[in-house]
Amino acid sequence: MTDIINKFQNYLMGEKKSRNTIKTYISLVKEFLEFMNGKDIEKITIEDIENYKEYLSINKNMSKQSIYLSMKALQSFFKFMKRNDLTKLNTPKRSKKLPSYLNEIEMAAILEKSKSNFRDYVILMTLAYTGLRVSELVSLNIEDIDFYDNIIHIRSGKGDKDRIVIIDPKVIELIKEYLKNEKRFSGPLFISKKKMRITSTHIERIVKKYVKLAGITKKVTPHTFRHTFATTLLKNGADIRFIQQLLGHSSISTTQIYTHVDENSLKEIYMKTRPKYL
């Protein structure tokens, strides 16, 4: 089993999958193989996979999105195993549920509370003003920041794609001050108290801490900051393709979900632009 997993990991690396994708796929495939309880991979059938999907849905109460991701991981695994009969799995459609987001007052309250810890404040300001994925944020190195042109270079983001993200000059100044205090000029951008690269789990804890301090009861994750960034840009008149590029979406259809979010803005635009026949 360990040998197969290691070879599958090397296969994913050869396919130029991102570190985050590799980690996720390996974990999901391990869970499936544990469910198979030692059954020979060559004898696994479509029925086995359908039973696993049922288990994920009923026993583990997983969302369609989570089951979809599990099936994508298994498709990749069976392609690696040359089980072509199992590579065309019936994956559930991805959820079209609208993303949750914060209004500007709520975001301001969270950022204000985080000022009590300068590093945390800089981290949350960076998330709020760039819309970075948490995996991209924790992977940033100091060398990825262009302090002159106010640009962040994302190396091997989702889908193993490089892109640039514009960052507000005031956030650049905060990052400069943070690094000056740390007396660091290279290596990971954000580090823990133990001087190690900060992790996604650590970022989630930071967000949770200041959301609670701000008195906000709705569920807020680092990804909520990304949704809020996109929604705010759209509300302020940014073109959808500009938002697509900043977020690093490969398809415009992924970005278009944000066009359905802000109901108040939709009403406001309608009232300004509606026909006046009479």
Side-chain angles (χ1 to χ4, degrees), residues 239-268:
D239 183 86
I240 193 74
R241 293 202 175 273
F242 170 78
I243 299 172
Q244 177 193 3
Q245 187 170 344
L246 285 179
L247 295 181
H249 288 158
S250 57
S251 170
I252 191 69
S253 62
T254 306
T255 318
Q256 280 174 334
I257 191 169
Y258 297 107
T259 65
H260 305 291
V261 173
D262 201 332
E263 188 177 306
N264 290 331
S265 293
L266 197 62
K267 289 178 181 177
E268 186 180 330

Side-chain angles (χ1 to χ4, degrees), residues 93-221:
K93 289 185 178 181
R94 302 178 85 169
S95 174
K96 297 288 186 182
K97 191 169 80 171
L98 297 179
S100 62
Y101 66 101
L102 299 163
N103 61 43
E104 292 183 59
I105 294 173
E106 290 170 327
M107 180 62 82
I110 295 170
L111 295 174
E112 189 65 35
K113 289 296 181 182
S114 70
K115 285 181 178 179
S116 59
N117 182 302
F118 189 63
R119 184 209 59 181
D120 293 355
Y121 176 56
V122 179
I123 286 172
L124 295 188
M125 285 287 284
T126 304
L127 276 177
Y129 280 89
T130 63
L132 291 177
R133 300 178 178 94
V134 68
S135 59
E136 294 170 340
L137 182 79
V138 299
S139 297
L140 283 179
N141 292 319
I142 296 170
E143 296 86 348
D144 296 328
I145 312 294
D146 185 331
F147 292 97
Y148 181 78
D149 285 330
N150 301 329
I151 287 173
I152 294 177
H153 293 272
I154 304 299
R155 320 284 185 187
S156 298
K158 190 173 182 180
D160 201 41
K161 294 173 184 171
D162 292 350
R163 76 178 193 282
I164 62 167
V165 171
I166 314 300
I167 186 166
D168 192 296
K170 67 186 173 190
V171 182
I172 282 285
E173 292 305 313
L174 288 173
I175 293 174
K176 284 181 182 178
E177 187 177 347
Y178 162 71
L179 293 174
K180 183 179 179 181
N181 293 343
E182 290 281 329
K183 297 178 181 177
R184 293 189 299 113
F185 307 97
S186 62
L189 179 58
F190 295 115
I191 59 174
S192 67
K193 291 178 181 178
K194 295 180 179 179
K195 305 299 180 183
M196 303 291 289
R197 184 184 294 275
I198 204 165
T199 66
S200 297
T201 302
H202 201 154
I203 300 291
E204 288 164 8
R205 289 198 197 109
I206 290 170
V207 169
K208 186 176 181 180
K209 174 182 176 180
Y210 295 108
V211 166
K212 185 177 180 180
L213 287 174
I216 295 170
T217 56
K218 67 172 74 170
K219 183 179 179 181
V220 179
T221 68

